[in-house]
Each structure stands twice: as C-alpha cells, then as structure tokens.
Amino acid sequence: EVQLVESGGGLVQPGGSLRLSCAASGFTFSNAWMHWVRQAPGKGLVWVSHINSDGSYTSYADSVKGRFTISRDNAKNTVYLQMNSLRAEDTALYYCARDFSYGMAVWGQGTTVTVSS
Amino acid sequence: QTVVTQEPSFSVSPGGTVTLTCGLSSGSVSSSYYPSWHQQTPGQAPRTLIYNTDTRSSGVPDRFSGSILGNKAALTITGAQADDESDYYCVLYMGSGNWVFGGGTKLTVL
C-alpha cells in the first residue's frame, strides 16, 4: 500500500524555524517526484514546493522562496521541508504528495504548523 | 500572475450529472497543463480523482471523468451520490516547475 506520513509540525514563534518530514512507503521512492502543499484554516490548497527524483531540481512558490528548502534522502525514503523565517501566514496544514504525470497522485494526512507568539 | 479559476459552488441532484471546470484568467487550458482533480471532504486529506487530464486514479469509480471542454479542463460526475458532496480542486502545471491550484468548488448534492 502506498503511504505518506508527515511529521514535524507544531507551534513556533514568528521568525522561527521548523523541519517537516514525510516518510514514504509502498512505492519506489527514488523514482518519484514529490511535492509539499499547504492549506490554511478554512482556505484552499496551495502548492508550496517540488523536488525531482534525485533531488537535483527543486522549485518553490513565490510566497516561500528564499525561506523554505525542500530536500530528500532516498536511502530513508523521506522528503523534508525546512521552513525558516516563519510568518503568521505560514500557519497551515502541510501535506506531502507524490507526483505522477505532473500532478499530485497520492497524499499524506498532513501535519499542522502554527506560527504564533 | 495567472489565476486558475473554478466555480466557487455547484449543486447537483442525487443521480444527476454535473461538470466542474478549471480555467485560466488568461489563456486556455490544454492537456499540456496536465490538469488533475482532487476531492476533499471536511477534515480529510485530499484524494486524487483524475490526473493527466483524463486518467482515473486507482480505485476511483468510472462515474468520475476528466476532459478538456473548450478552453477549460473539466471534471464530470455522472450519477451523483450523497457522498460526492465535497470540495473539488483542480491543479495545473504551469511549466518551469510551477504548479497552481484553483480556488476549489464546493459541491452540494441535494
């Protein structure tokens, strides 16, 4: 069974940092592109970041560029999202998703990030 | 900044057919945007219904279908059921490693 399990969310003060993890199983992780997508409370889905299969190419939404870094460890079947200089508007449920044919194909259950003093 | 447009809300009768659309504020959607569709019920993670315009994800019933209609991507639900009442999101690949979600359509079945 294909599974994605996010972790690492929590409460952080504005300006702080957090690293999210997404552990994958049930598919050949080293062949898969991966995404992070977020959803603010009561709002819609917003694409955040993408990484290709070997980690050599990454991309980011303008709203997080320069503050967030996506990476992966194919030996551990895990993708990460390092979030620095966090703002109140980064408060959201963060999902990781596996890409297939340039779209999200499998989703995790999400991890909640709250940025507040 | 290109905006991906979706109907904010739609209503369908049980057993009826509904088509939700996904467009662009400027230009036309084609299969080159690799449109995908995702269903989300309150408190749940999204579930992928359709990817690459018209390919159903594993386990998705065939009453869900994707297509390009005119200048938009479309998700058609035939024989709507009560548990189809959800939010539906499309996402488009804009190129250069950039994806954009639509604002979502809240579908009511009544």
Side-chain angles (χ1 to χ4, degrees):
Chain A
E1 179 193 4
V2 175
Q3 196 169 14
L4 298 170
V5 179
E6 301 93 334
S7 61
L11 173 64
V12 61
Q13 292 188 338
S17 298
L18 214 52
R19 188 178 84 155
L20 307 183
S21 300
C22 170
S25 60
F27 64 98
T28 306
F29 180 75
S30 58
N31 290 344
W33 292 8
M34 299 295 294
H35 298 271
W36 285 98
V37 175
R38 69 184 182 185
Q39 187 170 34
K43 302 297 185 182
L45 300 172
V46 176
W47 173 77
V48 173
S49 183
H50 150 265
I51 188 167
N52 71 345
S53 57
D54 66 3
S56 61
Y57 182 82
T58 60
S59 57
Y60 302 90
D62 287 345
S63 59
V64 307
K65 204 171 293 184
R67 299 188 299 124
F68 290 11
T69 302
I70 191 171
S71 62
R72 65 191 296 158
D73 185 337
N74 284 348
K76 295 183 177 179
N77 287 357
T78 301
V79 61
Y80 304 97
L81 187 68
Q82 177 68 44
M83 303 186 297
N84 298 332
S85 303
L86 282 162
R87 306 166 180 167
E89 54 265 37
D90 295 318
T91 293
L93 184 55
Y94 284 74
Y95 296 102
C96 73
R98 175 196 174 181
D99 183 280
F100 197 80
S101 289
Y102 294 90
M104 297 83 198
V106 180
W107 298 76
Q109 289 301 305
T111 186
T112 299
V113 172
T114 303
V115 184
S116 175
S117 55
Chain B
Q1 177 86 4
T2 301
V3 175
V4 176
T5 62
Q6 295 185 247
E7 300 87 359
S9 62
F10 229 116
S11 182
V12 62
S13 300
T17 296
V18 62
T19 297
L20 311 182
T21 68
C22 176
L24 289 170
S25 56
S26 176
S28 299
V29 177
S30 67
S31 59
S32 299
Y33 285 85
Y34 300 92
S36 59
W37 291 91
H38 310 274
Q39 178 191 48
Q40 188 180 37
T41 53
Q44 299 296 313
R47 168 200 182 198
T48 298
L49 299 175
I50 301 288
Y51 61 89
N52 197 12
T53 305
D54 57 6
T55 303
R56 262 186 304 276
S57 192
S58 177
V60 174
D62 60 6
R63 54 198 186 77
F64 290 92
S65 62
S67 64
I68 299 292
L69 286 181
N71 62 350
K72 296 182 179 182
L75 173 71
T76 299
I77 307 171
T78 57
Q81 300 179 359
D83 60 4
D84 295 335
E85 189 160 292
S86 300
D87 294 325
Y88 292 85
Y89 294 91
C90 70
V91 58
L92 302 179
Y93 178 59
M94 309 304 284
S96 303
N98 184 34
W99 283 261
V100 180
F101 278 89
T105 296
K106 184 177 184 62
L107 180 67
T108 302
V109 180
L110 53 75

